[in-house]
Amino acid sequence: MPKAARKFYAVAVGRDGPKIYTTWDECKEKITRYPSALYKSFPSQKQADEWLASKVDSRARSRPASDLVPPDITMLPPRDPPVSQEWDEEDSLPLSEPPSVSLSSEQQEVLDRVKQGRSVFFTGSAGTGKSVLLREIIKTLQERGGLAITASTGIAAVNIGGSTLHSWAGIGLGDESWKQYAGKFFGQKKFRPVLDRWRNVRTLIIDEVSMIDGALFDKLENIAREVRHNEKPFGGIQLVLSGDFCQLPPVPGRDKKGQQITPVFAFDAKTWHACVGSPVMLTRVFRQKDEAFVDMLNAMRFGQIDAKAVAAFSTLSRKVEYADGIEPTELFSTRQEVDNANASRLRQLNTESHTYVASDYAGVDSNGHPITPMQMSRLLERLVVQKQIHLKVRPILISPTVLRQALVLQVGAQVMLVKNLVQGSLVNGSVGQVMRFSTAEDALKEHTNIAGVDRGERPRLPPSGFVWPIVRFIGGQETMIIPQEFTINNANGETEARRDQVPLILAWALSVHKSQGQTLERVKVDLRRTFEKGQAYVALSRATCLEQLQVLNFDASKVQAHPRVLEWHFGRRPATTSANEVIELFDSDEEADSDVAMSAYYNI
Ligand SMILES: Nc1ncnc2c1ncn2[C@@H]1O[C@H](COP(=O)(O)OP(=O)(O)OP(=O)(O)O)[C@@H](O)[C@H]1O
């Protein structure tokens, strides 16, 4: 094996102040769990000295750290205290959680970079506030215009109020060459709106970029340069990319015959580095406060499961009892398991039940054409509110553009809120139990909270004559939950489909795919089931504390990151991806939930 080239690790902000180290181990000791750490590796001492001199200034200050980061990732320096965010009343029922939090210094630095018009890929372990930051970036850039909000999968796109990258880019299945696409965009009238989108965009946001195939990234980069007649990387479009390669692997592409092509990670795309440069690592973990837990999750993330870590995870197999009757949500890798678990628990209840009928509306696609009922139901498949009630759904066609689907709820049912209703207390992921049903008028008289309804002189109530569920959430808060709007946007930001429904799903069980991005207080995971590497990490990292996490059948082989991701992370970068570097996807015999994401991804 060739000997690794010597490196010099310059630490500008670290445990022992500015200094140059000659081994990564020494450097790591000074920057691990030091969140504002600023460091970089160099091939020569001179370069390291120069960089250090340019970086060391009065801003260096100590703070506790919480993550392990690779040596070739440039950390952002700390900055002045962030400006606190105002909660906009008009957004009281938003699609995505508005930031009532102050951005951390590293989050703020990314935002500033974006405001300066620079491209950025920011990443970080689960719970480091990537979603919070992305929402703030969107809010900031939306005012400026020229913004395209996209994500690799439909479900991720809904979460940020955008469309899929495929849909925005107008590439259908993505199986043609960039030249063919560029030819179509220039030559065919129906692609005029697509051409306009490519030409007018200033900033392209791509969330969950870890699921974008490297070959697809290169294809889009070529299209961008061609259609914009601009030879700058990505045709001069500012890229804002977010995601975590340790969590979800790329979606495989397809060839002309519909056969899956082995995917490569986006960071292995030929044009990746020229487009986004070094990644920015968010290091401060917000979801978990317990440092021991953060360390255990990092051990999983970086494949450092030693005997001590195995022992620590194994202690989590005990049953956790809760006095309030709300059980931990069990995470499964397949939809089938989730549906079975929830249905069997629901069957055991012999209590009052009510059926809620969702109203679904069709809008227009990005060419201004009306959406057909079939397209609408396929789009609405992306909504979490629909999937979880799979077994209880009875679709009834009531008009060409309005479909109805039913959600059955019972007293005693464990449910989860799937929309942010009250910042900080009733958010997407809040779990509770249905206590009773009541009309909104009675709830007002009894002084029961009604989510999203202001108790003014003339509160806006849902239609009278109906009863709505009153849910007691973890922590004891009782709130009536009434229907909310769920909207899916087309590539132009117009409504493509909409569903009005009570924003609850059954929550004894939940799929990992739908738990993605959520914070769950009580979690149970049985790793004997069909969990794969990144998927198991996503599942365990939803929990906020060790005390309320139960892990059965801990298996170190199921929780480690992909070797290629580790190579990339720690700075070993082979020139090309070899043929035997097949990215493992979920190999369950049953339909894995990632397949749902994949079909949403392709069925545009
Ligand atoms: N600056 C901040 N101050 C306080 N809390 C924050 C901050 N940023 C994020 N959080 C909180 O941390 C938790 C995790 O945030 P978020 O979901 O954005 O992380 P993430 O990196 O996107 O996680 P994942 O990769 O698991 O989806 C949330 O409860 C969020 O409200």
Side-chain angles (χ1 to χ4, degrees):
M1 234 166 96
K3 214 175 155 202
R6 191 160 177 216
K7 278 190 174 180
F8 296 85
Y9 303 97
V11 177
V13 180
R15 195 154 285 118
D16 286 353
K19 207 168 168 184
I20 291 172
Y21 300 92
T22 50
T23 68
W24 166 232
D25 282 346
E26 284 175 295
C27 169
K28 192 171 79 177
E29 198 192 319
K30 307 302 174 200
I31 51 91
T32 303
R33 309 199 61 77
Y34 205 90
S36 299
L38 175 64
Y39 56 94
K40 199 168 163 66
S41 68
F42 296 91
S44 75
Q45 170 115 31
K46 186 166 174 284
Q47 284 168 295
D49 281 335
E50 284 168 2
W51 180 84
L52 197 56
S54 73
K55 293 290 168 194
V56 174
D57 63 26
S58 57
R59 293 180 302 177
R61 50 190 146 127
S62 332
R63 278 194 347 194
S66 54
D67 208 346
L68 177 70
V69 287
D72 65 343
I73 290 178
T74 306
M75 308 298 301
L76 292 167
R79 48 164 288 134
D80 295 331
V83 183
S84 64
Q85 308 298 321
E86 289 284 335
W87 169 237
D88 184 351
E89 275 303 313
E90 282 187 10
D91 290 334
S92 58
L93 297 176
L95 257 179
S96 48
E97 184 184 358
S100 70
V101 293
S102 298
L103 294 185
S104 67
S105 55
E106 54 186 7
Q107 287 170 320
Q108 185 67 44
E109 284 291 338
V110 174
L111 179 62
D112 289 347
R113 219 185 234 220
V114 170
K115 281 189 193 163
Q116 288 160 13
R118 294 162 67 189
S119 288
V120 64
F121 162 51
F122 60 91
T123 182
S125 59
T128 47
K130 298 183 292 297
S131 307
V132 164
L133 172 58
L134 194 62
R135 284 195 285 269
E136 189 58 17
I137 289 173
I138 291 171
K139 202 169 133 194
T140 306
L141 295 187
Q142 248 163 355
E143 289 159 16
R144 198 200 60 184
L147 178 65
I149 306 168
T150 75
S152 54
T153 67
I155 196 167
V158 169
N159 282 340
I160 54 168
S163 61
T164 62
L165 177 62
H166 276 62
S167 166
W168 179 85
I171 55 168
L173 295 175
D175 55 358
E176 295 174 45
S177 72
W178 70 264
K179 282 190 179 156
Q180 284 170 310
Y181 284 120
K184 274 188 193 177
F185 298 168
F186 282 124
Q188 295 182 28
K189 207 170 156 206
K190 70 174 181 176
F191 283 103
R192 185 73 213 183
V194 177
L195 187 66
D196 289 345
R197 278 206 296 276
W198 274 104
R199 285 187 165 167
N200 296 335
V201 68
R202 262 173 85 181
T203 308
L204 173 61
I205 287 180
I206 311 176
D207 194 15
E208 300 295 1
V209 73
S210 67
M211 292 181 81
I212 295 291
D213 178 34
L216 178 72
F217 187 88
D218 281 333
K219 204 177 273 188
L220 294 171
E221 203 277 337
N222 275 296
I223 294 173
R225 276 188 286 122
E226 181 74 9
V227 302
R228 291 166 68 90
H229 303 303
N230 185 333
E231 276 311 305
K232 286 187 186 154
F234 231 92
I237 298 171
Q238 179 191 22
L239 293 180
V240 177
L241 314 182
S242 172
D244 177 12
F245 286 104
C246 290
Q247 291 189 44
L248 294 161
V251 175
R254 286 183 193 277
D255 64 18
K256 281 276 178 207
K257 292 181 188 144
Q259 298 295 309
Q260 271 189 13
I261 302 166
T262 301
V264 291
F265 286 101
F267 56 69
D268 276 327
K270 292 190 192 81
T271 56
W272 173 264
H273 196 74
C275 288
V276 289
S278 295
V280 175
M281 179 72 80
L282 299 180
T283 62
R284 181 167 168 197
V285 178
F286 291 97
R287 184 172 293 130
Q288 295 89 14
K289 304 273 177 281
D290 176 358
E291 289 192 2
F293 189 18
V294 171
D295 286 343
M296 284 164 73
L297 290 172
N298 279 334
M300 276 178 76
R301 179 176 162 78
F302 293 121
Q304 294 159 342
I305 305 276
D306 54 14
K308 203 170 139 219
V310 172
F313 275 108
S314 301
T315 61
L316 301 179
S317 60
R318 83 283 178 241
K319 190 167 191 280
V320 186
E321 304 281 357
Y322 301 96
D324 60 6
I326 302 173
E327 298 173 33
T329 298
E330 186 162 7
L331 297 177
F332 292 90
S333 58
T334 68
R335 268 193 301 172
Q336 194 61 47
E337 289 170 298
V338 172
D339 289 344
N340 290 345
N342 280 329
S344 104
R345 297 302 302 268
L346 203 59
R347 269 197 302 273
Q348 288 165 25
L349 298 176
N350 190 15
T351 50
E352 180 185 350
S353 88
H354 288 277
T355 300
Y356 293 96
V357 178
S359 296
D360 294 350
Y361 304 95
V364 291
D365 67 16
S366 53
N367 294 321
H369 300 139
I371 292 290
T372 65
M374 201 181 285
Q375 286 170 323
M376 178 186 70
S377 56
R378 208 171 56 196
L379 284 165
L380 292 171
E381 274 281 304
R382 292 174 187 173
L383 294 177
V384 173
V385 73
Q386 179 197 40
K387 297 283 181 67
Q388 187 62 32
I389 55 173
H390 189 64
L391 286 183
K392 296 288 178 186
V393 171
R394 286 191 290 274
I396 313 155
L397 191 63
I398 57 167
S399 87
T401 52
V402 181
L403 276 173
R404 301 194 134 190
Q405 295 186 316
L407 157 64
V408 179
L409 284 180
Q410 283 184 236
V411 168
Q414 184 155 308
V415 289
M416 178 181 287
L417 198 59
V418 290
K419 185 134 191 166
N420 298 301
L421 297 182
V422 180
Q423 178 58 39
S425 60
L426 286 184
V427 295
N428 183 355
S430 298
V431 173
Q433 200 172 26
V434 177
M435 303 310 289
R436 58 187 185 281
F437 295 88
S438 159
T439 62
E441 293 78 8
D442 284 349
L444 275 185
K445 276 188 224 146
E446 292 163 6
H447 300 285
T448 302
N449 285 329
I450 305 177
V453 171
D454 240 354
R455 286 178 176 275
E457 289 216 334
R458 305 177 71 189
R460 277 186 59 211
L461 295 180
S464 59
F466 291 92
V467 292
W468 308 103
I470 294 174
V471 178
R472 196 184 66 223
F473 289 92
I474 293 173
Q477 183 182 358
E478 283 197 6
T479 303
M480 172 174 276
I481 305 296
I482 58 174
Q484 306 289 329
E485 275 182 25
F486 293 83
T487 309
I488 292 179
N489 292 330
N490 66 27
N492 299 327
E494 301 149 335
T495 299
E496 204 166 24
R498 193 186 106 193
R499 162 166 298 156
D500 293 356
Q501 176 59 296
V502 175
L504 294 174
I505 58 173
L506 296 175
W508 287 288
L510 183 70
S511 72
V512 178
H513 184 61
K514 264 168 248 135
S515 77
Q516 199 193 321
Q518 279 182 338
T519 300
L520 301 174
E521 283 183 51
R522 300 173 183 182
V523 182
K524 181 178 170 187
V525 184
D526 185 346
L527 288 174
R528 197 181 40 201
R529 303 185 198 280
T530 55
F531 286 91
E532 291 300 328
K533 291 183 171 84
Q535 214 184 16
Y537 173 65
V538 173
L540 268 61
S541 60
R542 298 308 95 198
T544 55
C545 63
L546 285 167
E547 292 71 27
Q548 301 191 157
L549 170 65
Q550 186 182 11
V551 183
L552 297 172
N553 300 299
F554 180 79
D555 177 351
S557 71
K558 289 200 169 177
V559 298
Q560 295 178 358
H562 190 281
R564 178 70 198 110
V565 173
L566 291 177
E567 272 181 346
W568 169 78
H569 236 287
F570 290 98
R572 297 188 295 275
R573 192 186 292 271
T576 54
T577 308
S578 67
N580 59 3
E581 272 188 85
V582 176
I583 293 172
E584 284 174 44
L585 293 163
F586 311 116
D587 62 1
S588 159
D589 285 343
E590 298 176 73
E591 184 196 9
D593 242 311
S594 58
D595 288 344
V596 178
M598 289 176 201
S599 59
Y601 190 78
Y602 288 117
N603 295 334
I604 298 158

